[in-house]
Every structure is written in C-alpha cells, then in structure tokens.
Amino acid sequence: MQIAVIAGDGIGKDVTVEAVKVLQQVSSVFDAPIVLEHLPWGADHFLRTGETLPAGGYDLLRSFDAVFVGALGDPRVPDNRHARDILLGTRFELDLYVNYRPVRLLADRLCPLKHRGRADVNFVVFRENTEGVYVGIGGRFKAGTPDEVAIQEEINTYKGVHRIIRYAFAYAATHNLTKVCMADKSNAMQQGHALWQRVFHEVAAEFPGIAATHQYIDALAMFLVRDPGQYEVIVTNNLFGDIVTDIGGALQGGLGMAASGNLHPGRTSLFEPVHGSAPPLAGRNVANPMGAILSVALMLETLGRTAEAKAIEAAVEATVRAGETTADIGGSLGTREVGDRIAAALM
Ligand code: NAD
Ligand code: IPM
Ligand code: MN
C-alpha cells in the first residue's frame, strides 16, 4: 500500500508527524507494510520555488492508494494560492465528490453542551465537495474602486447534487441508519437549491426505509447546538458543509478532534483533519493530533483495512479516557507525547 503524505503548513506539519507515527506503528503491529512518500508541497515550497504543485502533480497523486494531508494555509501567502491548488485542486481534479466528516464524541466531558453526552453527538456529515461556490467561477469589475462589482457563482449540477445525496442515503442504508437530513437554503436560493429539493425527493423515494427530512441550513445550525441527538446523517452543499463541520468539530471537543475523508469510491482518495494550519500554534508542540490520527483511521477503513482502523480508533479513545491529551481538550501533554501514547496503546 502506497500513501502520499503532504504535511503542508503550520500545525499540519506537527500533526502529520504523529499521524505517520501511528500509521507506522499500526503497520508494524499488524505486520502489513505501508510505503510512504513525503511530498514537500506547501507554503515553504511555494515561496522557495514559485510552484504550488509540479506539472503532473495530480497524476502523481492518482498513482497512490491514498493521500494524507496535514493542513494548508500560511499568512506569508495572503491569497493562499498554494492551498487552493493543492487542496481544492485535488478535490476537483481527482473528482473527490464526497467529503465524509463523522462527528462522534469520544467522552462526555469533551461535549461543550450542557446535559449532553456521547449519545447525543454521533452522526455523519456528507458535504458536497466538487461544486457550489468553491468552483471559483466569477470575476471582478472595477476592482479597487468604489464601483467594484464582485461576482462569485454557485454551481449546482444534477449530477453533482444527485451523487452526493445518493451517497448519503446509500451510506445510511448500509450502516443500519434510519434518518437522512438534507440542509439547503431553498427559501432564499430559489434556483440552485430547488434542484437540491427535487433531487432529494427523487433519491428519498428509492429508500422507503429511511426517514428523509429537510431543514433550512440556518435552522440546522441552531439544532446542532440545541439538539444534536436528532441527527444520524446530514447531507448538504460545499459551503454549508464546511461551516456545519466546524460546529461538528466543536461538538466533539474542538476542531483538533475532527477527521475527514475526501472520497471518490474506487479511486484514490484524500484524508485530512478538518482543522486548518492554526499559525499561532505551529511548531509549539501544542496542537491536538487526534483529528489527524483519526483521519488515518478513516483512510485505512476506506482502503478495507478495517481491523487496523478500529485499532487506531480504540487507541485514541483509550488515550482520551485516560486524560492523556493536549490542553485544548483538558490535558497537559504535548502533540508528540499524545502521538507516543496513542502509538503505545496500539501494542
Ligand atoms: P484553524 O482550523 O487553523 O484554527 C482555528 C482555531 O481552532 C485555532 O486557532 C485553534 O484555536 C483551534 N485549532 C484548530 N486545530 C487545532 C488543533 N489541532 N489543536 C488545537 N487547537 C486547534 O482555522 P483558521 O485559523 O481559520 O485558519 C488558519 C489557516 O488554515 C488559514 O490559512 C485557512 O485557510 C487554513 N485552513 C486549512 C484547512 C485545510 O488545510 N484543510 C482547513 C481550514 C483552514
Ligand atoms: C476545509 C477547509 C477548506 C474548505 C479551506 C482551506 C479552503 O476549511 O477543508 O474545511 O473550505 O474546504
Ligand atoms: Mn473548513
């Protein structure tokens, strides 16, 4: 199994060291070899060479079984052009249309909500990952003047909306789940989100055993805080999914806990923590590596190495239970020490 590793920027580098440590440990415990190739792409590389990713970079990524990314984003690159090419570019070019973001609380004490615990925070979000406002279609007219006009189009295609909604229902059906909630803003966005409504009803009809509900995205954001226990599967568009999964991160104890997979079933997929490069925390041995490590578990699960994925999840859970964590979730250990404890718990 060959994995490309892009540590990227800021705390991406810190958490990737720990994710790789745990991956190597699980590979040794299970005696299942994994070959890693580290790609130096990120802000340092861009500032040194002017290159975001090399010619043929996406084809190179396609040649691996999976890609692991730490995080991208650096204040020295104000428009974050490298992050757009490396992260969003890969999502588009490899057509990774499913952004799979599980939201699972590992210990009651990490929940920021009063009187809520593990039973209330256990759902998955499927975020459309190849369309919406992220496609970058638009332009600026009279830029920099008081008459500036900025246009940023939101793209919704039948194919794109159908495949993410269908994926969400199929996931529910194969995981013994009974509810799928679709969130849009069809009351205000009467063209693009009418398409989401039509497709949602069409796909729901194929799955009579699953309760298909709809909430406007503003109401969903409110209910995620007031009553997250009502959700099993949430499906939404690219931008709303981005926002909702940061709320999901908070529900798990903080952004440092949240994992994700950018998937195209049957093809090379990309795994990364939900958080960004958090420049103020970079290089200080304080970033929580658990979201990155849990993203490695999602990667192994997707590659069919279920026992190794479960072992990592169990090791993270045991480490949380023992209070052996970074400060953001109440512990007193550093990034490296948490990585060591999780690796040790795998033995
Ligand atoms: P961020 O996720 O980097 O950080 C927001 C805050 O969350 C941090 O200040 C910190 O308090 C907390 N946090 C995040 N990860 C943590 C961790 N592992 N451990 C402990 N605390 C953690 O978001 P931001 O500050 O809005 O963005 C910083 C840069 O990262 C920007 O350039 C942004 O574009 C980029 N970004 C990249 C990705 C990605 O690569 N997937 C995701 C989000 C943001
Ligand atoms: C994420 C990030 C990215 C996004 C940024 C870095 C463009 O926030 O993966 O959640 O908006 O998709
Ligand atoms: Mn985000």
Side-chain angles (χ1 to χ4, degrees):
M1 194 168 81
Q2 304 210 325
I3 309 294
V5 177
I6 304 170
D9 307 328
I11 63 165
K13 296 180 188 173
D14 306 337
V15 299
T16 298
V17 172
E18 306 316 313
V20 164
K21 186 187 283 175
V22 169
L23 182 58
Q24 281 170 334
Q25 179 67 12
V26 84
S27 133
S28 128
V29 169
F30 282 75
D31 200 16
I34 292 173
V35 178
L36 301 178
E37 182 163 334
H38 291 269
L39 302 173
W41 309 344
D44 290 338
H45 182 79
F46 173 65
L47 291 168
R48 207 171 45 244
T49 64
E51 170 186 277
T52 56
L53 72 180
Y58 300 122
D59 283 334
L60 175 65
L61 294 180
R62 279 188 198 98
S63 71
F64 291 93
D65 294 296
V67 181
F68 180 87
V69 173
L72 291 152
D74 188 303
R76 293 171 301 163
V77 187
D79 63 0
N80 272 319
R81 179 179 340 167
H82 67 298
R84 238 182 11 248
D85 284 1
I86 298 166
L87 185 64
L88 300 183
T90 303
R91 289 176 183 168
F92 295 140
E93 293 291 326
L94 274 62
D95 200 28
L96 306 175
Y97 66 90
V98 178
N99 198 325
Y100 167 45
R101 296 188 159 182
V103 180
R104 197 160 77 90
L105 184 66
L106 296 187
D108 288 348
R109 69 181 167 76
L110 300 190
C111 189
L113 308 178
K114 268 189 292 188
H115 315 305
R116 303 283 183 198
R118 297 191 71 179
D120 305 289
V121 181
N122 186 11
F123 57 91
V124 296
V125 178
F126 290 106
R127 161 186 178 189
E128 201 293 318
N129 213 30
T130 51
E131 307 195 334
V133 295
Y134 279 74
V135 295
I137 293 178
R140 285 155 82 193
F141 178 52
K142 299 187 180 174
T145 77
D147 296 327
E148 179 163 346
V149 178
I151 294 178
Q152 182 104 37
E153 297 289 359
E154 181 180 293
I155 303 303
N156 298 275
T157 68
Y158 180 85
K159 172 186 164 186
V161 175
H162 188 269
R163 64 185 181 173
I164 188 66
I165 291 180
R166 195 161 200 301
Y167 192 93
F169 275 93
Y171 178 94
T174 53
H175 289 76
N176 293 321
L177 299 173
T178 56
K179 296 191 279 191
V180 173
C181 180
M182 189 273 276
D184 65 16
K185 191 67 191 172
S186 49
N187 48 353
M189 303 185 69
Q190 288 152 1
Q191 312 304 335
H193 295 198
L195 178 59
W196 278 77
Q197 286 288 326
R198 165 161 87 94
V199 174
F200 183 60
H201 291 112
E202 194 180 303
V203 175
E206 282 179 55
F207 293 88
I210 294 176
T213 58
H214 168 261
Q215 287 174 353
Y216 295 120
I217 188 65
D218 47 352
L220 178 102
M222 178 274 293
F223 282 124
L224 276 174
V225 175
R226 288 201 69 93
D227 178 25
Q230 68 182 277
Y231 302 107
E232 291 183 350
V233 175
I234 293 170
V235 60
T236 190
N237 72 21
N238 207 340
L239 180 62
F240 297 164
D242 179 42
I243 297 165
V244 152
T245 54
D246 265 33
I247 301 176
L251 293 175
Q252 293 169 87
L255 265 183
M257 297 301 290
S260 81
N262 300 256
L263 319 174
H264 185 125
R267 294 199 199 161
T268 304
S269 295
L270 182 156
F271 299 83
E272 54 172 350
V274 172
H275 66 74
S277 57
L281 309 184
R284 295 175 39 210
N285 197 35
V286 295
N288 185 344
M290 288 180 167
I293 291 167
L294 290 167
S295 302
V296 167
L298 290 188
M299 178 171 83
L300 292 168
E301 178 197 346
T302 305
L303 294 172
R305 291 168 73 150
T306 315
E308 288 147 277
K310 288 213 177 327
I312 293 178
E313 282 167 6
V316 171
E317 219 171 300
T319 309
V320 168
R321 219 177 306 119
E324 297 181 321
T325 72
T326 44
D328 55 304
I329 56 166
S332 58
L333 298 183
T335 310
R336 287 189 286 277
E337 291 68 35
V338 171
D340 290 343
R341 302 296 161 100
I342 294 170
L346 283 167
M347 294 202 290

